[in-house]
Amino acid sequence: MHITQDTAVTLDYRITDLQGKPLDAGTTAYLHGGYDNLFAQAEAALEGKTVGDKVALALSAAEAFGARDEALARSIPKSEFPPGVKVGGQLQGAGPNGPVVYRVVKIKGPEVLLDANHPLAGQDIRFAATVKAVRAATAEEIAHGHVHGAHGHHH
Ligand code: ZN
């Protein structure tokens, strides 16, 4: 089976920076066909591919995880946090356009630096993937706009 509109695709993927430094890797399942589950350029490269095929492409930050939005980075006095605030922790807070999830990126003396940007926002990347499985998506998956099951959405 080939990747076409409304197929459920499982990929092994690897993301590096342009120099080849590993940033992320794993297995993911996505609904193919413009559901915004995967970078548009990666979907275009995967169109028509089948199990075992590989794609590799370079994506600008705008094509990948988007530009950094400095309005989503904030510094808060540590005294406003409950004890035990740790780098890597997450908390929901008010963002410029509604609630967002902030990551605690740094604790610098009395200040806690929070960032709600995607960790790879602003990063040009290389995206490489191998097609592991392709099947027709179910009507429910198409209605939801995402894939269910292993490596997909659980709910
Ligand atoms: Zn669903």
Side-chain angles (χ1 to χ4, degrees):
M1 183 156 192
H2 292 262
I3 298 174
T4 56
Q5 182 71 37
D6 297 340
T7 48
V9 181
T10 305
L11 299 175
D12 280 349
Y13 69 92
R14 208 160 60 87
I15 294 173
T16 68
D17 69 10
L18 297 184
Q19 285 71 46
K21 180 181 159 228
L23 299 173
D24 192 18
T27 301
T28 189
Y30 82 98
L31 181 58
H32 185 87
Y35 295 93
D36 217 12
N37 287 180
L38 190 70
F39 315 122
Q41 283 80 357
E43 280 206 31
L46 285 159
E47 178 77 27
K49 297 284 191 280
T50 190
V51 172
D53 285 346
K54 293 175 196 296
V55 298
L57 55 164
L59 300 174
S60 70
E63 293 166 333
F65 296 99
R68 272 187 62 78
D69 179 355
E70 292 309 324
L72 292 175
R74 305 173 62 187
S75 168
I76 306 271
K78 198 174 175 183
S79 57
E80 290 185 15
F81 283 88
V85 56
K86 282 199 187 87
V87 169
Q90 295 192 335
L91 67 155
Q92 187 144 354
N97 305 305
V100 293
V101 175
Y102 287 100
R103 283 172 299 116
V104 178
V105 289
K106 199 184 249 185
I107 300 173
K108 198 172 153 191
E111 294 288 303
V112 178
L113 305 183
L114 300 177
D115 196 338
N117 284 287
H118 187 282
L120 296 179
Q123 174 81 56
D124 297 335
I125 62 164
R126 289 186 196 282
F127 175 84
T130 303
V131 180
K132 303 304 283 185
V134 186
R135 63 171 170 81
T138 65
E140 188 185 45
E141 288 171 326
I142 293 165
H144 287 198
H146 55 231
V147 163
H148 296 154
H151 306 299
H153 204 90
H154 298 272
H155 61 100

